[in-house]
Amino acid sequence: MQNLLDLDAQQLTAWFAEQGEKPFRARQVLRWVYKAGEPDFDAMSDLAVSLRDRLKQVACVQPPKVIRKELSDDGTCKWLLDVGTGNAVEAVYIPEADRGTLCVSTQAGCALDCAFCSTGKQGFNRNLSTAEIIGQLWWANHELGKDQEGNWQISNVVLMGMGEPLLNLDNTVNALRLMLDDHAYGLSRRRVTVSTSGIVPAIDRLRDECPVALAVSLHAPNDGLRDELVPVNRKYPLKELMAACRRYLEKAPRDFITFEYVLLEGVNDSEQQARELVRLVRDVPCKFNLIPFNPFPEAKFRRSGPDIIQRFRDVLMQADIVTTRRKTRGGDIAAACGQLAGQVRDKTRRTGMHSVGIL
Ligand code: SAH
Ligand code: SF4
């Protein structure tokens, strides 16, 4: 049984060719599945009945199954989705006045073990398939429906859920292509953001294969501290990361990189560290997104106070770097950044640098 959610437009065309069908069948089916949100071949009225019957035998449209749905007081909605063998991942919808954003997961767990991240603490099980990644958007659209103008409520997608998208690049790129394809979701490249902890060779590949908006999780102004907070820094240190950001901008749909920076009390939030950060990013056109640390049960950090965050922000702003403070959404249902844990059967049994060794 071929799950059609696993195929981007080109692969779907090739698959229809194997079935002895013309390329335009792929376009028709894409439009049904993604634009209309229709999983049932019988409802695809512009396909011949004989083709519909054959599709029913050899193909399906199968997003991950929902285990649980939670709604926050602020309208944020989180789905726990079953991805088999005891693993589950989370997708989060964040409504705002001018947009609806879906935060999508790309792996069951994460091998990179950043010190402040709940997903990292869960360990790593496996990469999600293309169907499991695009299926989160398919499902959320299906549940949320369309607005009065007939558009899906979800206008923006951020790959900032569980996992490191650039360590699951092939499936991530396939899913991105479906988000962008005019016959599928047709989102603008500027409205789709990949967030990475800084996998340098994969940043270059993303630039060449499917450039979308890029967010880089920085969290420290120097290698000494970043090695501790984001262990993958030992493999791809800041100098290489900054150079990769500059190369990315040659093809990026936006003319800046977004740097994410989680503020941890007394660890990375001093004015001096803010000044060091300004020097670090001197040659990279960028914006900063300061994220108040979101606690989770075994966390050993504390959130920086509002005055500290403001002072840190002032230093960046004085250096003409546009800096926003991310509002915490969905905190009451553990749907905020870094709180997503899902259910992960860790396969790595890591200690320290071990996690980086499996890259
Ligand atoms: N692996 C990718 C994307 C998923 S993490 C990455 O690291 O970029 C998405 C964002 O949430 C990252 O910027 C990450 O640093 C941040 N984050 C992780 N744990 C957090 C926490 N406890 N509080 C706030 N933000 C956190
Ligand atoms: Fe993985 Fe990102 Fe969490 Fe680090 S912050 S452990 S890279 S999901």
Side-chain angles (χ1 to χ4, degrees):
M1 213 33 131
Q2 174 66 53
N3 187 353
L4 298 189
L5 296 182
D6 258 324
L7 306 176
D8 70 8
Q10 216 179 348
Q11 292 164 337
L12 192 66
T13 308
W15 185 83
F16 270 101
E18 280 167 28
Q19 313 292 314
E21 294 288 339
K22 296 251 161 35
F24 75 93
R25 294 292 178 207
R27 289 197 294 276
Q28 282 178 313
V29 169
L30 275 179
R31 297 184 78 87
W32 277 112
V33 172
Y34 297 103
K35 286 221 177 306
E38 180 56 69
D40 181 359
F41 297 119
D42 276 332
M44 301 184 183
S45 51
D46 54 1
L47 303 183
V49 174
S50 57
L51 175 57
R52 288 186 235 167
D53 284 343
R54 200 145 40 80
L55 285 174
K56 277 192 282 185
Q57 281 160 20
V58 294
C60 60
V61 175
Q62 186 73 70
K65 289 201 174 53
V66 174
I67 298 172
R68 194 168 66 231
K69 174 179 169 182
E70 287 175 80
L71 196 60
S72 159
D73 296 340
D74 66 12
T76 300
C77 183
K78 179 169 89 167
W79 292 273
L80 182 69
L81 301 157
D82 184 9
V83 292
T85 56
N87 291 292
V89 298
E90 297 181 322
V92 179
Y93 174 66
I94 306 139
E96 286 172 279
D98 58 341
R99 72 184 94 169
T101 304
L102 189 73
C103 179
V104 167
S105 295
T106 54
Q107 298 182 313
C110 183
L112 296 183
D113 202 18
C114 298
F116 47 81
C117 174
S118 169
T119 304
K121 295 293 151 224
Q122 298 256 306
F124 174 73
N125 186 276
R126 67 168 174 87
N127 283 334
L128 299 187
S129 65
T130 301
E132 288 165 339
I133 300 172
I134 200 69
Q136 296 169 54
L137 179 55
W138 192 94
W139 178 261
N141 272 329
H142 175 78
E143 284 245 312
L144 298 164
K146 294 187 172 176
D147 62 17
Q148 282 160 347
E149 279 129 47
N151 299 314
W152 293 119
Q153 307 271 0
I154 295 169
S155 57
N156 294 55
V157 176
V158 294
L159 273 58
M160 291 184 187
M162 296 168 65
E164 170 50 56
L166 297 191
L167 289 181
N168 182 14
L169 193 66
D170 290 340
N171 295 338
T172 292
V173 164
N174 270 357
L176 288 173
R177 289 199 178 116
L178 287 165
M179 292 173 201
L180 303 176
D181 195 295
D182 280 337
H183 298 293
Y185 288 122
L187 296 176
S188 139
R189 286 179 191 279
R190 302 157 64 90
R191 289 175 171 271
V192 177
T193 302
V194 167
S195 174
T196 180
S197 56
I199 313 297
V200 167
I203 293 175
D204 287 328
R205 272 190 60 198
L206 185 68
R207 175 193 71 158
D208 294 336
E209 293 178 22
C210 194
V212 292
L214 187 68
V216 173
S217 295
L218 213 47
H219 310 314
N222 57 57
D223 283 323
L225 182 57
R226 196 163 190 270
D227 282 351
E228 297 304 315
L229 296 177
V230 185
V232 75
N233 191 70
R234 299 175 210 172
K235 189 157 178 154
Y236 304 114
L238 284 168
K239 192 156 175 267
E240 288 178 32
L241 181 56
M242 292 302 121
C245 289
R246 282 197 300 277
R247 291 194 295 277
Y248 194 84
L249 286 173
E250 291 163 11
K251 293 197 190 164
R254 291 185 179 272
D255 55 8
F256 59 89
I257 301 284
T258 302
F259 287 123
E260 297 164 278
Y261 197 100
V262 175
L263 284 158
L264 307 167
E265 187 182 68
V267 175
N268 65 355
D269 62 353
S270 73
E271 277 185 72
Q272 194 203 334
Q273 285 164 320
R275 284 193 292 274
E276 201 180 352
L277 205 51
V278 170
R279 289 195 293 279
L280 173 73
V281 302
R282 208 171 26 205
D283 300 328
V284 184
C286 64
K287 292 186 181 175
F288 263 81
N289 196 211
L290 301 179
I291 314 175
F293 172 66
N294 292 312
F296 53 93
E298 53 294 25
K300 54 179 194 248
F301 297 103
R302 282 208 304 262
R303 178 183 289 192
S304 308
D307 295 350
I308 299 284
I309 298 182
Q310 190 55 45
R311 261 199 295 145
F312 199 91
R313 182 171 178 220
D314 288 344
V315 174
L316 298 178
M317 297 281 275
Q318 276 154 19
D320 288 329
I321 301 173
V322 173
T323 305
T324 50
R325 178 187 185 286
R326 186 173 295 171
K327 277 195 253 91
T328 296
R329 300 285 303 263
D332 55 336
I333 55 169
C337 300
Q339 291 183 320
L340 301 188
Q343 289 167 14
V344 178
R345 300 216 158 170
D346 185 21
K347 278 190 170 170
T348 55
R349 273 194 286 137
R350 306 157 312 194
T351 44
M353 280 301 287
H354 223 77
S355 57
V356 180
I358 70 159
L359 294 179

